[in-house]
Amino acid sequence: MLPPPHLRRTTRSTLTWVLVVLTGLMLTFTLIAVTSGDRRTASLPENLLATVLYPFQNAAGWVTGRVRDVTGGIRELMYLREENARLREQVERLIHLERLNEQLAQENQRLREELGLQDRLPHRLIAAQVIARDPSLWFQAVVINRGARHGVREGLVVVNHQGIVGLVERVTPFTSTVRLMTAGNFEITARNLRNGEFGVVEGQGDGVVVRFPYGGRDAVRQGDVIVTGWFQPEVPEGLYIGAVAEVERGDHDLIPVGVLRPGVDFQHLDLVQVVVPEPPGEEAAQ
Amino acid sequence: MRYWVLAAILGVAFLAQTTVAGFLQIGGVAPNLLQAVVVSYGLLFGSPVGAVAGALVGLLRDVAFGRYIGLSVLSLGAVGWVAGLVERRVYQENPLLPVLGGLLSTFLAEGIHYGVLRLLDPDLVAAAAVSRRVLPGALYTTAVTFLVYRRILRAYGYLRPEPGGVIRSVRRR
């Protein structure tokens, strides 16, 4: 026997909802599965959206920057006297450091000549501004206002005056997504400046570690300076990554692991540079 | 329902989240404005509005940052849907509503993220770091949800004109 008409309507309506939700879930899971691979190029919708969002993010970034400048200026005025005294001390210290630096530069030059090494090639830099940040706790990425049209490509390293910020993960015509060094899936080859030991720097979600899979017990010590290694063609060697804050023993107490204190302040990223491993002026020549 | 206003609020929240929220970080945790808006929509306008708003803004987030597309659709869509389930059962002026909504929605959203990412990547290195930040993130997002919810509640009559636009507690009087 058939149920009364009003009940049939309710059943049909519920069935329609269940069907809509199930179809939506299936589509979503398919989309996640399809996009979960290592995607190096942005799809057309992603390019379109990034291009549409670019002026808005740029404008919002500009306003945020100006507001920060003004508040920073006010704060600076308030602490001017204190800062003045501190700066005097810093000047004294810098004069001392400059002398030391000159000595070290001379020594460095001498050692390079002795070893017969070529000076590192200078690289072309593309200045960019951070215009958006990934709000998720899981992925740490920022969007910069330079893209394929400006010469940025996937895999290039992004730095600021403090050191390595991250790697370019995806490029659209006017913007690029940069995976930060602290992100869980970040990896870059590295070298310990003290002993030349090669290792891998890995992001941990909120911190960074450096592993020396082929290193002995002395591969890493607290205070060691870690710079980029030479295995990655898009990443120039010798860029500052960070200093080792703590040493741990990794897998089965065999692999030495250093917990890094990155040079970069990731919470206050503003201006960055994309490093193109080619001599400056190459772009003009092309 | 004035859907275009709801969409505009979502758009502004997205821009604010990706540009300004980074500068509001406390101890490395930024407030989740998108989630606050989606939860408020769910609590005030019901599951369909909450789920669709969550899915749309989630898609925007996924496409803009180029990570697994669909992950935020799923988490924010679910948050909007679940928040909407209590829409007809509670007093919408109760201040505890956005507090509980903000708190529970963070755990739900991060739980979905964790589950799906664990399926895709069994050695999820970011899990430990995220677990340390979930509670502070939930508290921060709860505070923001409270403010956002109260603001949208004040505009309820405009956003959902009569006959739907009657606050639950007012209707019962």
Side-chain angles (χ1 to χ4, degrees):
Chain A
M1 197 174 77
L2 281 173
H6 72 279
L7 272 183
R8 260 183 281 163
R9 263 201 307 277
T10 313
T11 315
R12 207 176 303 135
S13 157
T14 312
L15 272 175
T16 312
W17 267 111
V18 169
L19 212 62
V20 166
V21 169
L22 280 179
T23 314
L25 280 176
M26 267 169 58
L27 276 174
T28 309
F29 277 114
T30 310
L31 210 54
I32 294 173
V34 167
T35 55
S36 65
D38 189 16
R39 296 185 307 127
R40 304 295 273 174
T41 50
S43 60
L44 183 67
E46 287 169 305
N47 272 335
L48 276 175
L49 183 74
T51 308
V52 169
L53 281 177
Y54 166 68
F56 293 103
Q57 288 177 327
N58 221 0
W62 186 85
V63 171
T64 313
R66 297 295 82 75
V67 170
R68 220 174 55 233
D69 285 351
V70 170
T71 50
I74 293 167
R75 208 177 301 132
E76 209 166 296
L77 275 175
M78 284 165 69
Y79 296 106
L80 205 56
R81 188 190 296 267
E82 194 185 315
E83 198 167 356
N84 195 22
R86 209 168 50 241
L87 283 173
R88 274 175 198 279
E89 269 178 42
Q90 272 181 5
V91 167
E92 297 287 327
R93 222 170 31 240
L94 282 173
I95 290 169
H96 173 69
L97 279 174
E98 198 186 342
R99 282 183 200 135
L100 196 68
N101 196 23
E102 274 171 28
Q103 284 174 13
L104 287 172
Q106 283 169 7
E107 197 181 336
N108 191 18
Q109 180 65 29
R110 190 174 54 79
L111 285 170
R112 275 176 189 278
E113 282 166 7
E114 278 179 19
L115 288 167
L117 292 173
Q118 285 184 329
D119 281 339
R120 266 199 348 238
L121 286 172
H123 303 290
R124 188 159 68 85
L125 299 175
I126 302 170
Q129 189 167 19
V130 174
I131 54 170
R133 284 150 201 270
D134 188 348
S136 160
L137 285 175
W138 295 89
F139 312 109
Q140 296 183 12
V142 293
V143 176
I144 56 172
N145 65 346
R146 291 290 179 267
R149 294 271 175 101
H150 309 97
V152 180
R153 55 180 189 260
E154 287 89 359
L156 291 181
V157 69
V158 178
V159 299
N160 71 359
H161 65 284
Q162 296 165 317
I164 283 202
V165 172
L167 290 172
V168 174
E169 187 173 47
R170 216 165 46 98
V171 178
T172 66
F174 300 102
T175 63
S176 305
T177 307
V178 178
R179 186 194 304 168
L180 299 182
M181 194 164 67
T182 49
N185 46 0
F186 180 92
E187 269 189 6
I188 196 169
T189 57
R191 187 163 60 87
N192 187 337
L193 213 53
R194 179 175 56 82
N195 53 14
E197 197 76 58
F198 278 89
V200 180
V201 164
E202 293 173 2
Q204 297 287 300
D206 61 349
V208 188
V209 297
V210 56
R211 292 180 202 279
F212 293 93
Y214 308 112
R217 287 205 163 259
D218 192 41
V220 62
R221 284 188 208 155
Q222 192 177 352
D224 280 355
V225 171
I226 307 298
V227 296
T228 49
W230 49 267
F231 291 114
Q232 284 169 287
E234 296 283 36
V235 180
E237 191 198 349
L239 298 173
Y240 181 71
I241 298 176
V244 175
E246 196 184 321
V247 178
E248 290 173 355
R249 290 286 143 193
D251 305 340
H252 309 295
D253 200 28
L254 290 174
I255 299 173
V257 178
V259 178
L260 275 186
R261 188 176 50 243
V264 175
D265 177 3
F266 291 99
Q267 286 189 32
H268 300 97
L269 283 176
D270 188 13
L271 287 172
V272 293
Q273 310 273 348
V274 182
V275 184
V276 187
E278 60 194 37
E282 188 101 320
E283 191 186 35
Q286 286 167 2
Chain B
M1 191 91 76
R2 287 193 160 94
Y3 290 110
W4 63 273
V5 184
L6 296 183
I9 295 171
L10 268 185
V12 170
F14 178 79
L15 274 180
Q17 179 71 61
T18 54
T19 54
V20 185
F23 298 106
L24 302 175
Q25 285 189 16
I26 299 175
V29 176
N32 198 332
L33 287 171
L34 297 181
Q35 198 175 299
V37 174
V38 170
V39 169
S40 303
Y41 280 6
L43 292 173
L44 288 169
F45 307 117
S47 282
V49 174
V52 170
L56 281 178
V57 84
L59 186 64
L60 201 61
R61 182 163 111 174
D62 285 338
V63 174
F65 288 94
R67 279 298 170 162
Y68 312 105
I69 295 174
L71 188 54
S72 301
V73 174
L74 198 65
S75 62
L76 284 175
V79 160
W81 178 268
V82 173
L85 292 178
V86 298
E87 185 231 355
R88 302 254 163 207
R89 295 179 174 85
V90 290
Y91 290 105
Q92 287 165 321
E93 283 170 336
N94 189 334
L96 268 180
L97 193 60
V99 173
L100 284 174
L103 206 59
L104 297 177
S105 65
T106 305
F107 292 113
L108 176 65
E110 300 307 337
I112 290 171
H113 264 85
Y114 176 78
V116 176
L117 287 175
R118 184 59 98 184
L119 281 176
L120 297 169
D121 176 14
D123 308 316
L124 196 60
V125 283
V130 170
S131 67
R132 280 193 292 274
R133 283 182 292 161
V134 164
L135 191 60
L139 294 175
Y140 202 172
T141 302
T142 300
V144 173
T145 307
F146 182 79
L147 297 174
V148 169
Y149 180 88
R150 300 300 293 179
R151 190 69 200 83
I152 298 176
L153 182 66
R154 238 184 289 165
Y156 187 91
Y158 170 75
L159 293 169
R160 191 187 236 181
E162 291 286 356
V166 179
I167 305 284
R168 207 68 42 228
S169 58
V170 178
R171 188 184 280 177
R172 294 197 178 187
R173 257 179 230 145

